[in-house]
Amino acid sequence: PMEAEAEARLLLQEARESIEAARSYRRELEQRLRGLHQARQQIRESATLTRDVLEQHFNDLKGTLKKLLDERLLSLLQEVDAIEQESIKPLDECQKLIEHGVSTADDLLREGESAVHGDVGQQNEKLCSFTKKALHIQLDSLPEVPSLVDVPCLSAQLDDCLLTILKNQIFRHGTVASHPPVQLEEFVEKPGGILVRWCKVDDDFVPQDYRLQYRKSTASHFEDVYVGSETEFIVLHIDPNVDYQFRVCARGDGRQEWSPWSVPQMGCTTLVPHEWTAGLEGYSLSSRRNIALRNDSQSCGVLYSKAPTYFCGQTLTFRQVLSVIETVGQPDRRDSLGVCVEQQNGFDSLQRDKAVCVSTNGAVFVNGKEMTNQLPAVTSGSTVTFDMEVVQLGPSSNEGGNFKIRVTISSNNREVVFDWVLDQCCVSLYFGCSFLYPGWKVLVF
């Protein structure tokens, strides 16, 4: 009896100690639950605050950068969600573990109290079972709960200088100019084209490049036709008797942006475009018939214009076009570029009567006779121009004719000037060309 009583007191003492340990364990678990709640609350509140700040910040900028800012906002919100979910996941797992521990502690408490206050006959057995279970549960083992300094505290880092930069850019964007630095100056009619000239009207403006645009009067959009350093340009492929609108701007030296546009002005040509005659076997023509290519045909002869569309007082230009062929055709002394009074078949060159021409080697022929003055040879990219002016009408016994035209032929910055005497009045002329070998490609305008 003495040993049984001692054993009972010992078991009772151990049971009471286990109950106290369970109470302490439960208090610690409840404290950790509160810490867990605070950690979760901090994450959620900071995430909510971060969302509010991000949404407010991006909403302030949506007026100008709505699409980009919405994409960035979505990315940041997803990052907040990802951090929030990743951070709360271990806390949820810890909570489940703690809640399981609380439930286990409650069961153990009920079992311990039942053993202590139960029937005397079954008390020892219950106390023994309870004590073993309490030892098995390891009441001194508590799950680790992170402190607030160890869990994420979300915030948004938003650089206000972005808005300042945008404001500065917006405030500097766009100018109002009452006098553009460049204005259109002159329109000169050309056959199927318009020579447009412009000038600088601002003495303080130093231009580097000019940009010329045009459109039909019925069109809605301008299109670029020239960008470069020259102050004039011949706009080709212009329909006769149709109004076109032109404007020009400039780019200052060392600058990237263009100046304001000049005042738009209307231009028009009444002159039909120059065209080569179609159907000559030795030549292929472009769709507009202003470019002629000497092909591989063995047939040769003079290719004339479709009509006498060259008038005295105008400038006629032949340009050797850069062809798909690597080099121009082989030159021959009989090659010719020039004008004539009338078409004459049966000749293989314009080096004949009633014609003025230049050979590809630079020789100048008047009425079939070679002059002593000579121009540079015609090569790929060369330009040959004819300018003619009537200087005398009526009889002239000294010259042997009654019609005199002053002719200026220019090529590669050199020119020849002479008087061409004819026995008939002629103010409109044909133009023509002849090449013995293939590969020559000539644009006329």
Side-chain angles (χ1 to χ4, degrees):
M2 294 291 295
E3 293 178 358
E5 186 177 352
E7 182 179 359
R9 286 196 297 269
L10 180 59
L11 290 175
L12 182 60
Q13 181 62 31
E14 290 177 352
R16 289 172 177 169
E17 292 176 355
S18 296
I19 291 173
E20 186 59 32
R23 289 196 180 101
S24 177
Y25 178 63
R26 191 179 190 282
R27 285 193 298 269
E28 291 293 331
L29 290 176
E30 290 175 345
Q31 184 176 352
R32 279 161 171 74
L33 276 177
R34 289 191 293 271
L36 202 64
H37 174 73
Q38 292 175 352
R40 180 180 288 102
Q41 186 177 12
Q42 176 175 291
I43 293 173
R44 293 194 182 282
E45 288 180 354
S46 63
T48 300
L49 179 62
T50 300
R51 292 189 186 94
D52 293 340
V53 173
L54 288 171
E55 289 172 354
Q56 181 63 43
H57 179 78
F58 282 90
N59 284 333
D60 291 340
L61 300 176
K62 279 183 180 179
T64 52
L65 298 172
K66 186 176 185 304
K67 182 178 179 180
L68 293 177
L69 291 178
D70 284 347
E71 291 177 355
R72 182 58 178 163
L73 173 60
L74 178 61
S75 175
L76 289 174
L77 291 176
Q78 289 174 345
E79 186 176 347
V80 171
D81 292 340
I83 295 175
E84 181 184 18
Q85 293 175 5
E86 183 179 356
S87 302
I88 289 181
K89 184 178 179 180
L91 300 183
D92 290 339
E93 294 175 353
C94 184
Q95 178 177 343
K96 292 179 181 179
L97 184 61
I98 293 176
E99 289 176 346
H100 177 71
V102 171
S103 177
T104 302
D106 288 340
D107 293 342
L108 189 63
L109 283 172
R110 284 193 297 271
E111 185 176 346
E113 290 174 352
S114 174
V116 171
H117 302 290
D119 297 336
V120 177
Q122 299 178 347
Q123 189 176 36
N124 291 345
E125 181 179 352
K126 289 182 177 181
L127 290 174
C128 182
S129 174
F130 167 73
T131 304
K132 290 180 179 180
K133 184 179 292 187
L135 293 175
H136 178 72
I137 292 176
Q138 297 180 346
L139 296 177
D140 58 345
S141 176
L142 295 172
E144 186 69 26
V145 174
S147 62
L148 293 181
V149 297
D150 295 329
V151 298
C153 180
L154 278 73
S155 63
Q157 286 73 48
L158 300 171
D159 193 350
D160 290 336
C161 72
L162 174 61
L163 184 58
T164 303
I165 294 173
L166 289 176
K167 287 181 179 178
N168 292 335
Q169 292 294 328
I170 292 172
F171 291 154
R172 289 199 301 264
H173 183 68
T175 58
V176 177
S178 58
H179 295 87
V182 182
Q183 293 287 6
L184 295 169
E185 184 179 28
E186 184 182 14
F187 297 99
V188 180
E189 292 187 50
K190 295 289 182 179
I194 300 176
L195 172 61
V196 184
R197 292 193 176 103
W198 54 88
C199 62
K200 181 172 72 75
V201 295
D202 186 351
D203 294 336
D204 297 329
F205 184 78
V206 180
Q208 176 181 337
D209 293 304
Y210 298 99
R211 181 182 180 187
L212 178 66
Q213 290 188 337
Y214 83 125
R215 68 178 179 185
K216 278 188 176 181
S217 58
T218 56
S220 58
H221 298 290
F222 283 90
E223 60 180 272
D224 287 341
V225 69
Y226 173 76
V227 176
S229 59
E230 301 295 328
T231 56
E232 65 177 36
F233 183 76
I234 296 179
V235 183
L236 298 176
H237 311 320
I238 295 293
D239 296 329
N241 302 308
V242 174
D243 288 333
Y244 287 82
Q245 195 173 44
F246 296 85
R247 66 182 185 181
V248 68
C249 66
R251 181 162 48 199
D253 189 21
R255 305 295 295 270
Q256 294 296 324
E257 68 277 6
W258 292 99
S259 72
W261 290 105
S262 66
V263 177
Q265 296 188 37
M266 302 298 293
C268 177
T269 182
T270 59
L271 305 176
V272 297
H274 291 317
E275 293 184 14
W276 298 103
T277 299
L280 190 62
E281 185 178 350
Y283 294 88
S284 303
L285 305 183
S286 64
S287 60
R288 290 182 175 266
R289 298 180 180 178
N290 60 344
I291 298 177
L293 171 65
R294 180 66 170 91
N295 55 36
D296 295 333
S297 173
Q298 297 299 318
S299 175
C300 62
V302 179
L303 176 65
Y304 292 102
S305 60
K306 182 179 179 180
T309 54
Y310 175 59
F311 293 85
C312 291
Q314 298 178 356
T315 298
L316 177 70
T317 303
F318 297 95
R319 179 175 296 164
Q320 175 58 38
V321 181
L322 298 177
S323 176
V324 293
I325 304 173
E326 292 184 0
T327 59
V328 296
Q330 179 181 345
D332 187 271
R333 184 174 179 78
R334 290 167 291 177
D335 295 340
S336 57
L337 290 166
V339 297
C340 58
V341 176
E342 59 190 8
Q343 297 181 0
Q344 293 184 11
N345 297 323
F347 290 90
D348 61 357
S349 175
L350 281 175
Q351 299 169 17
R352 59 169 176 82
D353 189 33
K354 297 183 179 180
V356 172
C357 66
V358 178
S359 176
T360 51
N361 63 7
V364 180
F365 292 84
V366 181
N367 292 332
K369 296 180 181 180
E370 184 177 354
M371 296 183 60
T372 55
N373 293 336
Q374 187 165 329
L375 294 169
V378 177
T379 58
S380 181
S382 292
T383 298
V384 180
T385 61
F386 287 75
D387 289 279
M388 298 190 178
E389 179 185 3
V390 177
V391 295
Q392 182 176 327
L393 292 172
S396 176
S397 57
N398 295 333
E399 296 291 344
N402 59 1
F403 192 76
K404 184 187 293 184
I405 300 176
R406 182 151 297 158
V407 181
T408 302
I409 307 177
S410 304
S411 177
N412 293 339
N413 297 322
R414 290 180 59 182
E415 66 179 27
V416 174
V417 182
F418 57 90
D419 289 340
W420 181 23
V421 179
L422 298 170
D423 58 4
Q424 64 187 83
C425 179
C426 186
V427 293
S428 63
L429 303 167
Y430 290 88
F431 57 86
C433 69
S434 64
F435 300 100
L436 186 64
Y437 298 102
W440 294 93
K441 190 176 185 181
V442 179
L443 166 68
V444 61
F445 58 91

